[in-house]
Amino acid sequence: CRSKEERQRLFGTLFFFLMGTAVLISVVALGLGALLWPRFVPVVPFHPFVTLTIATVFFMMAGVLPRSIFRVTDRVPLFMTLSLIQGVLSAAVTIALVVGGMGALGSVVGALVSAAAFFLSSAGISARRSHGPGLPA
């Protein structure tokens, strides 16, 4: 891409493609998973464990583009800082929830919280400090 407008168009198209793909895969995984999971893993309930894990993977998939944008626009320190914050947040929330009485579910919820927080923060930063992403500023 030679201009800011071309980068915005490219990253906007990629963002909506990734989001559409993430939604489609999540919906299929929820639908098929609910049918197939009990047959293969009857000991672990599909809901809430697998449904929350699918939501976590959705946010992780949707966060791929903002992470890539940070790298290609020479904002690696921002990428690294947010990754460190995500790791600390995930560990802190997970420990608090597990110790606080949620047990194994606390681990799944902790991962979801950190994935969602990282996606929202990185998408927001990408939109505000845009060098190319076609996200609304």
Side-chain angles (χ1 to χ4, degrees):
C1 298
R2 298 182 198 279
S3 69
K4 181 178 180 179
E5 291 76 25
E6 288 176 344
R7 286 190 303 273
Q8 287 177 328
R9 196 175 16 248
L10 173 64
F11 285 122
T13 301
L14 289 172
F15 176 77
F16 287 111
F17 173 76
L18 287 173
M19 289 301 297
T21 302
V23 167
L24 180 64
I25 290 171
S26 297
V27 168
V28 169
L30 286 170
L32 289 177
L35 296 173
L36 299 175
W37 187 263
R39 294 181 184 170
F40 296 102
V41 190
V43 182
V44 178
F46 184 79
H47 181 73
F49 293 100
V50 180
T51 54
L52 292 175
T53 300
I54 291 169
T56 301
V57 172
F58 167 80
F59 283 114
M60 291 172 71
M61 264 182 75
V64 167
L65 184 61
R67 281 185 232 125
S68 298
I69 291 168
F70 292 151
R71 286 189 292 246
V72 300
T73 58
D74 291 328
R75 291 186 281 170
V76 175
L78 177 59
F79 167 76
M80 295 301 294
T81 301
L82 287 174
S83 295
L84 178 64
I85 291 169
Q86 181 187 17
V88 170
L89 174 67
S90 179
V93 171
T94 297
I95 291 168
L97 293 175
V98 169
V99 172
M102 289 186 78
L105 184 58
S107 179
V108 176
V109 172
L112 174 61
V113 167
S114 68
F118 184 74
F119 167 71
L120 293 173
S121 66
S122 61
I125 291 168
S126 293
R128 283 192 306 276
R129 299 178 67 195
S130 176
H131 287 296
L135 306 174

